[in-house]
Amino acid sequence: MASASGAVVSPFDDLSTPALQPLPPQPQSAPASRVTAKSLDVWMLAGVAVALAGTIGGIKSTGVSLAYFFQPAGVLIVLGGTFGIALITTPRILLRHSAQTVIGILRAETTNREALIEEIVSYARAVRMKGLVSIEHMLDHTSHGFLRDTIRLAMDVKDRDELQTILETKIRLRERQGETDAKVLEVAGGFAPTIGVLGTVIGLINILRQFSNLSAVATGIGTAFVSTLYGLALANLVLLPAAHRIRARVAETFELEEMMVEGGLCLFDGIHHSLVRERLNNFLRAAAGR
């Protein structure tokens, strides 16, 4: 087709070609160090220090030398007997896992929930625009391992109810494992005072062998009852507090994983990022209300 100036114009020239728009920036996951950090549990160490200081201070206030309370026979009976009870009552695998958990509670893992929510919201923006598969390449940089596993499951599972069932079962089993670890320490803590009494009885039997020596009897009675002190101290200053600490850690982890499950379900449903933030903020309000 010719124009007024005589130039030949293609009919396709009338179609305007839009300029290529740059792709929106990909959301980057928050650095792991900013979301989750591990450090020594200062509050727990402070509690141990206060408990030991109070016990030692109380003993010293009586005027009795601390060396008097060191009785190797009582230590051997209480520690050996309590550990033996743990071996009897707990399978080897569970006992090893419980020991690892006890070591783990010395290092507190703190998670910045606000940063974790913002990370999930950034994923929700990308999913809303391009679908769930579009964030697969970002999963290796996810700040929390459970969140990464949750999103991968959301990509693999096609049915929402099935996804929710799998995730809820997973966190329920993890909670049960934590309860088992705490129960191991509780059982040992329940037997420790009784083992201490056993050491006291053994000490009293030894006293009866030298009953004619009154000065030896007086000294021996005090020595015998140190085993009971060991049993009570081991149970109430170490084992039972550690069990409660594990339960508190498990409850905190369970709530955090519930929040990530909710975020994973939101990504699966393709919910708008503002609604995702509102849903997840409910977990912040619940934590602040405690």
Side-chain angles (χ1 to χ4, degrees), residues 125-189:
R125 289 193 183 98
V127 170
R128 185 79 172 177
M129 290 187 296
K130 296 186 177 181
L132 189 57
V133 182
S134 65
I135 63 173
E136 185 175 8
H137 68 283
M138 295 187 286
L139 294 185
D140 291 336
H141 305 289
T142 304
S143 61
H144 200 288
F146 186 83
L147 178 60
R148 179 173 57 252
D149 295 341
T150 298
I151 297 175
R152 281 181 174 159
L153 276 173
M155 292 178 180
D156 296 335
V157 178
K158 302 304 180 184
D159 183 72
R160 187 187 191 280
D161 292 337
E162 182 181 358
L163 173 62
Q164 185 172 0
T165 300
I166 293 173
L167 293 174
E168 288 178 351
T169 301
K170 190 172 184 179
I171 63 175
R172 188 168 60 249
L173 290 176
R174 290 160 72 100
E175 182 188 28
R176 186 179 301 172
Q177 179 63 64
E179 176 63 27
T180 300
D181 294 335
K183 195 67 177 176
V184 170
L185 298 180
E186 273 193 346
V187 170

Side-chain angles (χ1 to χ4, degrees), residues 18-274:
L20 293 177
Q21 299 295 326
L23 292 175
Q26 295 294 334
Q28 298 294 327
S29 60
S33 58
R34 185 167 64 87
V35 176
T36 303
K38 283 188 176 183
S39 61
L40 283 176
D41 195 335
V42 178
W43 284 104
M44 181 177 178
L45 296 178
V48 172
V50 169
L52 289 177
T55 303
I56 294 173
I59 292 174
K60 293 194 67 154
S61 67
T62 63
V64 181
S65 172
L66 289 176
Y68 179 79
F69 289 90
F70 179 68
Q71 304 295 336
V75 173
L76 183 61
I77 291 172
V78 172
L79 291 182
T82 303
F83 183 65
I85 290 296
L87 291 176
I88 294 171
T89 58
T90 309
R92 177 177 58 87
I93 296 178
L94 295 181
L95 187 61
R96 184 172 58 187
H97 191 278
S98 179
Q100 293 172 347
T101 303
V102 171
I103 296 173
I105 63 175
L106 296 176
R107 294 183 64 83
E109 181 177 292
T110 55
T111 300
N112 187 333
R113 298 195 180 192
E114 292 87 350
L116 186 59
I117 289 175
E118 290 305 317
E119 180 180 354
I120 297 174
V121 168
S122 70
Y123 293 147
R125 289 193 183 98
V127 170
R128 185 79 172 177
M129 290 187 296
K130 296 186 177 181
L132 189 57
V133 182
S134 65
I135 63 173
E136 185 175 8
H137 68 283
M138 295 187 286
L139 294 185
D140 291 336
H141 305 289
T142 304
S143 61
H144 200 288
F146 186 83
L147 178 60
R148 179 173 57 252
D149 295 341
T150 298
I151 297 175
R152 281 181 174 159
L153 276 173
M155 292 178 180
D156 296 335
V157 178
K158 302 304 180 184
D159 183 72
R160 187 187 191 280
D161 292 337
E162 182 181 358
L163 173 62
Q164 185 172 0
T165 300
I166 293 173
L167 293 174
E168 288 178 351
T169 301
K170 190 172 184 179
I171 63 175
R172 188 168 60 249
L173 290 176
R174 290 160 72 100
E175 182 188 28
R176 186 179 301 172
Q177 179 63 64
E179 176 63 27
T180 300
D181 294 335
K183 195 67 177 176
V184 170
L185 298 180
E186 273 193 346
V187 170
F191 280 101
T194 306
I195 300 297
V197 172
L198 177 61
T200 299
V201 172
I202 294 173
L204 292 176
I205 291 174
N206 184 50
I207 291 171
L208 293 177
R209 294 174 57 250
Q210 45 186 347
F211 198 71
S212 57
N213 187 346
L214 294 181
S215 61
V217 169
T219 303
I221 289 177
T223 303
F225 278 98
V226 170
S227 295
T228 300
L229 175 64
Y230 286 159
L232 291 172
L234 180 62
N236 295 286
L237 296 181
V238 179
L239 297 175
L240 296 180
H244 285 288
R245 187 70 173 191
I246 290 174
R247 282 201 174 95
R249 186 74 61 81
V250 167
E252 182 180 357
T253 302
F254 181 81
E255 186 175 284
L256 184 66
E257 289 176 349
E258 271 193 322
M259 186 181 79
M260 287 184 278
V261 167
E262 182 67 24
L265 293 175
C266 289
L267 296 180
F268 183 87
D269 294 334
I271 296 177
H272 193 274
H273 62 86
S274 61

